[in-house]
Amino acid sequence: MATDTLAAPGTTPAGPPRRRSGGGIRSNENLAGWLFVAPVIVILGLFLLLPILMALWVSLTDWNGQGSPFTGDVPFVGGDNYAQLFTDDGLARRDFMTAIRNNIYYVGIVVPVQTALALGLALVVNNRLLKGKGFFRSAFYFPSVTSSVAISVVFLFLFANSGAVNRLLALFGLDGPEWFADGRGVLHLLFGALGMNEPPAALTSGGPLGLTWWDWLSGPSVAMTSIICLVIWTTSGTFMLMYLAALQNVPVALDEASTLDGASRWQRFRYVTLPLIKPTTFLVVTLGLIGSWQVFDQVYVMSQGDPAKTTLTPAYLSYRTAFRDFDYGSGAAISFVLFLIIILLTLFQRWLMADRDGTRRGRWWRRRVPEGS
Amino acid sequence: MAVLTDRPAPVARRGDRGVRARVNRVLGYAVLIFFGLVFLYPFVIQLGNSLKTEPDAAANPLSPFPDPLTLAGFDRIFSGTNFPLWLGNSLLVTVLVTLGRVFFDSLAGYALARLRFRGRAGLFAAVIAVMAVPGVVLLIPKFLVLKQIGLYDSYAGLIVPLLADAAGVFIMKQFFESIPVSVEEAARIDGAGVFRTFWSVVLPMARPALITLTILSFQGSWNEFPHSLVSVQDPDLFTLPRGLADLVSGSLGKGTQYPLKLGAALLATIPVAVLFVIFQRYFVRGANEGADKG
C-alpha cells in the first residue's frame, strides 16, 4: 500500500551540475525529451489526473451510473454530497463518521505497534553476535511481498470460529471470540470488564457528528482487531528493513565509547541509538499513517465492512457507496475527503523529512527539482 | 566505518561478562525463533491445510500435517473453478504491464535525468506530486474514465492504465543520474542519436535498476487487486486476486471449502515467492528506495 509513497523527497542528492551549451549535439534534445516522456505523460494524465478531475465533477452531481455523467441530464447538486457527510443528520453521515471512527482506531493501533515491532525486529536482526540473521530477515520481510488478497484468505482461515488462533488460545485456557461475527468494541468490552454494564446515559444521549459519545468511544471491534493483526503482520517487515538500513549506519565506535563510559544497554539504546535513527522513525511513522488510511483489500476480502459496520473504512465505504448503492456522487465525495486526509499527511511527511536536511537550499516541496532550466 | 578497531578492554570481570553475553545470545535466538514462527507458521498452516480433507482442516486447523493427505482441494481448484483462466489472465497482465513499465519508465527517467528540454523541472515536480496520490481514492475516478473512453471491461482497461508508474520513473531517474555522463557523450560525439545512445549505451549500464524495476512491477501487477475491481466485471477477465476474492465471497456454493481456498491462495503466492527467494536483494533495494539515500 505504502510503496507508492516510499520514495520521499528530500532524501536524494541533487543531479549532477548542469553544463550550459547551446546547439550542436544538444539541439535535438528538446524534441527527444518530450518524445521520451510522452508515453508516461499520456498514461498518467489519462488514467490519473483526468480521472481525478472527472471524479471531482461527479462528486458534485447525483449521477447513478446510467449513461455518461457529463451530459445535461445528470442533476447537479453542488456541495450537497459533502454536506451529507458532515452537516446533514442522516445515514450517510452516520456511516461516514463510523468509517472515520473505525479508521482512527485502526491507525491508532497499527502505526505504533508496527513501528515498535519493526524497530524491535531490526534490533534483533542487527545483533552482531547472532547467526542466521539473513534467514530471519527474509522471513520477517516475506509477508510484505505477498498478495494482500491471498494473505487475507489465509487469515480468514486462521481467525475462523474454530480456526488456528482460537485453538491456540484454547491451549492457554482462553475462549476465543467469533472474530468476524463480533462487532463489539474492544473499549466497550473493557468498560464492561470494569463493571460498567450499562453505558452511562450522558454518553448515549448525544455526541458530535451524528454518533453518540458512547459510539465514538467503542474502540476497534473484535472483527477489526483481526484485520489489525493481519496488517501489522504484513507491513512490519518492510519497515524493519528501513530501520535495519538506519541501524547499519550507526557507528560501532559510538556504541563502544558509551559502553566504556559505563552506559547500560538500555541507556545506550535510549540516548545513543534512538536519537541517531530519529529520521527513520519519522519516515516509518508518517508512511504508516499514510498507508493505514488506505486500507481496502483486506476489508473487501475479509469482512466487507461487517459486522455492524465496525470494519467499514472510508476507502471501502466510498467503493461500496458507488459500486453497490450506485450513488457515485456520494462515493466520489468520500474519496475526495479521504484524498484530502492522505495528502495532508503526505505534505506533513515531506515537510518533516525535508526539515531534517536543514541546510539545503530551496523550498522543501520542490527540493528534488534541479535548479535552473 | 568504525574508528575504533580494537575492542575496548573489559570493564567488568571477565566471567561475569561471559555469562551475560551468553544469556543475551540465548534471549536473542529465542526472540528470533518466536517471531520466525509468527511470520512463517501461517504459511506452513496454509500449505498443510490445503492438502487436507475438509473435515480434517476444520478439526485440526493448527496442525501442519494432513491426515489423510489428499490432493482433492487442488483437483477442485482446476476442475471446479476458473483458476486456469485467472492464471492466464494474470500472466498476460503481469508480463505486459512489467514490459511496459520497464520501457516507459526508463525512457522518461532517462529524459528527466539527462536530456535538457523545456518544462523538465515542472514535469519532474509533477512526477513527485503524482507519487503522493493514493491508489484507493482512484477507484471511482478510474472507473469513470475507463467507461468514458470505452475501455471498461476489456483487457486494455485491465492493462493500459498500469503501463507506467511515477515511482518507477523516479527510481530510473535516480539511477541514470549516477551513471557518468562521459560515456554517453562519447557515443553522441560518434554520431549516435538520442534514442540509440539511450538504447545501446545507457540502458545496458542500468542493469541493477532495471532488475529492481522489473521485480517491483511484476510483484505489483501480479498482486494488483483494486484496479481489476473497477476496470472489469466480466468473469472471463478476472485476474488471480480478483478470482480469489470472488471464491471467498461465496461463489463456491456450500461449505467453507478451506483446503481449496488455501490451495488457490498458495498457488497465487508461489510466483512472487520464487522471485523473492532468487532476487531478494532487489526486493530489499526496492523497499529501501528513497528511504536510506542521503
Side-chain angles (χ1 to χ4, degrees):
Chain A
M1 271 183 301
T3 46
D4 285 350
T5 46
L6 276 180
T11 52
T12 32
R18 299 148 52 90
R19 271 159 296 159
R20 298 272 164 208
S21 69
I25 53 170
R26 293 275 182 197
S27 61
N28 56 351
E29 280 191 17
N30 216 2
L31 177 66
W34 279 100
L35 282 177
F36 273 40
V37 292
V40 170
I41 292 180
V42 170
I43 291 167
L44 293 184
L46 195 58
F47 297 105
L48 207 129
L49 295 179
L50 176 69
I52 291 177
L53 296 177
M54 287 168 75
L56 191 58
W57 165 255
V58 167
S59 79
L60 304 174
T61 71
D62 255 346
W63 187 54
N64 62 1
Q66 297 298 311
S68 164
F70 306 105
T71 60
D73 312 336
V74 177
F76 181 81
V77 297
D80 277 9
N81 287 324
Y82 293 92
Q84 277 173 12
L85 298 181
F86 288 101
T87 55
D88 303 350
D89 199 13
L91 185 64
R93 182 171 78 163
R94 220 157 40 242
D95 280 357
F96 179 65
M97 288 302 162
T98 303
I100 293 278
R101 176 202 67 187
N102 296 340
N103 217 330
I104 287 175
Y105 282 116
Y106 172 93
V107 171
I109 296 178
V110 167
V111 174
V113 175
Q114 80 186 4
T115 305
L117 183 58
L119 176 57
L121 293 176
L123 284 171
V124 183
V125 171
N126 196 45
N127 190 331
R128 273 165 295 153
L129 300 175
L130 299 181
K131 293 196 177 78
K133 293 173 297 191
F135 170 79
F136 287 104
R137 189 189 64 177
S138 310
F140 301 155
Y141 179 49
F142 180 63
S144 306
V145 305
T146 57
S147 147
S148 54
V149 174
I151 224 62
S152 296
V153 173
V154 176
F155 269 63
L156 268 178
F157 177 70
L158 295 182
F159 281 92
N161 292 346
S162 60
V165 170
N166 280 354
R167 287 302 163 90
L168 205 59
L169 290 175
L171 290 182
F172 297 97
L174 294 168
D175 220 0
E178 293 186 10
W179 295 92
F180 290 106
D182 200 333
R184 291 174 300 166
V186 168
L187 283 181
H188 283 177
L189 290 174
L190 199 67
F191 295 146
L194 294 173
M196 194 199 293
N197 291 320
E198 287 294 310
L203 292 182
T204 51
S205 55
L209 299 163
L211 295 189
T212 65
W213 285 107
W214 182 247
D215 285 338
W216 281 108
L217 290 174
S218 67
S221 70
V222 173
M224 185 60 111
T225 312
S226 56
I227 297 182
I228 288 173
C229 289
L230 163 60
V231 171
I232 291 171
W233 183 79
T234 46
T235 51
S236 296
T238 309
F239 294 129
M240 173 199 70
L241 289 182
M242 294 181 186
Y243 268 125
L244 212 47
L247 286 174
Q248 278 157 4
N249 285 331
V250 174
V252 183
L254 214 55
D255 220 29
E256 289 177 343
S258 48
T259 313
L260 273 181
D261 287 345
S264 72
R265 214 181 159 77
W266 167 252
Q267 284 172 322
R268 266 181 294 157
F269 170 70
R270 174 67 187 79
Y271 298 108
V272 179
T273 312
L274 213 50
L276 280 172
I277 57 173
K278 205 164 100 185
T280 305
T281 303
F282 280 159
L283 183 73
V284 168
V285 168
T286 49
L287 286 180
L289 283 174
I290 294 166
S292 49
W293 276 97
Q294 302 187 42
V295 55
F296 177 83
D297 300 7
Q298 295 82 357
V299 175
Y300 183 96
V301 175
M302 296 174 89
S303 64
Q304 312 250 322
D306 292 332
K309 297 182 177 166
T310 59
T311 59
L312 216 50
T313 61
Y316 185 74
L317 181 66
S318 90
Y319 169 81
R320 203 186 68 172
T321 308
F323 295 98
R324 299 266 164 90
D325 305 338
F326 302 108
D327 186 353
Y328 288 88
S330 193
I334 296 171
S335 287
F336 272 99
V337 176
L338 179 61
F339 194 10
L340 207 65
I341 294 174
I342 295 170
I343 286 298
L344 286 177
L345 287 170
T346 306
L347 289 177
F348 172 68
Q349 184 223 13
R350 292 189 175 180
W351 170 76
L352 205 61
M353 300 317 285
D355 211 38
R356 76 160 213 249
D357 297 336
T359 52
R360 287 209 213 156
R361 286 162 299 141
R363 282 169 295 179
W364 58 269
W365 62 84
R366 40 177 306 167
R367 169 130 311 138
R368 269 195 177 139
V369 184
E371 288 158 25
S373 82
Chain B
M1 205 65 204
V3 186
L4 275 176
T5 42
D6 291 343
R7 299 216 139 245
V11 192
R13 278 169 297 134
R14 200 162 261 286
D16 191 32
R17 266 180 77 85
V19 171
R20 283 194 56 181
R22 202 169 308 160
V23 169
N24 279 337
R25 203 177 311 174
V26 169
L27 255 167
Y29 280 122
V31 172
L32 275 183
I33 289 167
F34 173 77
F35 280 104
L37 282 176
V38 168
F39 280 87
L40 290 183
Y41 200 61
F43 295 108
V44 175
I45 288 185
Q46 179 184 17
L47 174 63
N49 282 280
S50 69
L51 296 168
K52 290 181 186 175
T53 60
E54 216 179 323
D56 186 21
N60 309 302
L62 254 184
S63 157
F65 305 110
D67 177 31
L69 192 141
T70 170
L71 288 171
F74 286 96
D75 265 351
R76 282 226 43 207
I77 290 172
F78 288 97
S79 61
T81 74
N82 274 333
F83 191 91
L85 177 76
W86 303 332
L87 186 66
N89 286 340
S90 264
L91 277 173
L92 180 73
V93 169
T94 302
V95 167
L96 290 179
V97 168
T98 303
L99 287 176
R101 280 195 185 176
V102 170
F103 183 60
F104 293 141
D105 291 354
S106 310
L107 272 180
Y110 178 69
L112 289 174
R114 279 289 200 272
L115 302 181
R116 223 174 286 163
F117 58 98
R118 214 176 269 283
R120 183 175 84 159
L123 262 180
F124 185 55
V127 167
I128 295 293
V130 159
M131 284 204 301
V133 176
V136 287
V137 307
L138 288 174
L139 294 179
I140 299 169
K142 271 192 198 162
F143 167 77
L144 288 173
V145 84
L146 289 172
K147 267 252 159 161
Q148 202 66 26
I149 62 179
L151 291 185
Y152 183 71
D153 231 3
S154 70
Y155 279 110
L158 211 48
I159 294 164
V160 177
L162 301 178
L163 283 178
D165 73 316
V169 173
F170 182 78
I171 291 176
M172 292 315 292
K173 172 184 181 280
Q174 297 304 109
F175 190 86
F176 286 132
E177 280 177 346
S178 72
I179 298 180
V181 190
S182 50
V183 185
E184 54 198 285
E185 280 188 340
R188 298 282 287 283
I189 287 163
D190 286 347
V194 180
F195 184 79
R196 206 184 146 78
T197 309
F198 163 76
W199 186 255
S200 24
V201 179
V202 182
L203 214 47
M205 293 169 72
R207 231 177 77 111
L210 289 175
I211 297 177
T212 301
L213 185 57
T214 304
I215 285 176
L216 287 182
S217 303
F218 183 95
Q219 181 226 1
S221 49
W222 183 264
N223 292 342
E224 174 63 49
F225 173 64
H227 178 70
S228 86
L229 204 55
V230 296
S231 59
V232 295
Q233 62 178 175
D234 180 353
D236 286 344
L237 295 172
F238 280 7
T239 54
L240 266 176
R242 183 77 188 277
L244 270 182
D246 201 47
L247 277 187
V248 174
S249 64
S251 65
L252 274 176
K254 66 176 165 57
T256 53
Q257 310 219 21
Y258 273 121
L260 185 161
K261 290 177 189 167
L262 291 171
L266 185 69
L267 293 177
T269 308
I270 286 175
V272 173
V274 169
L275 271 190
F276 181 77
V277 170
I278 302 174
F279 293 106
Q280 205 202 118
R281 66 203 175 96
Y282 294 96
F283 274 94
V284 172
R285 184 179 304 180
N288 276 333
E289 196 62 48
D292 63 348
K293 291 200 179 138

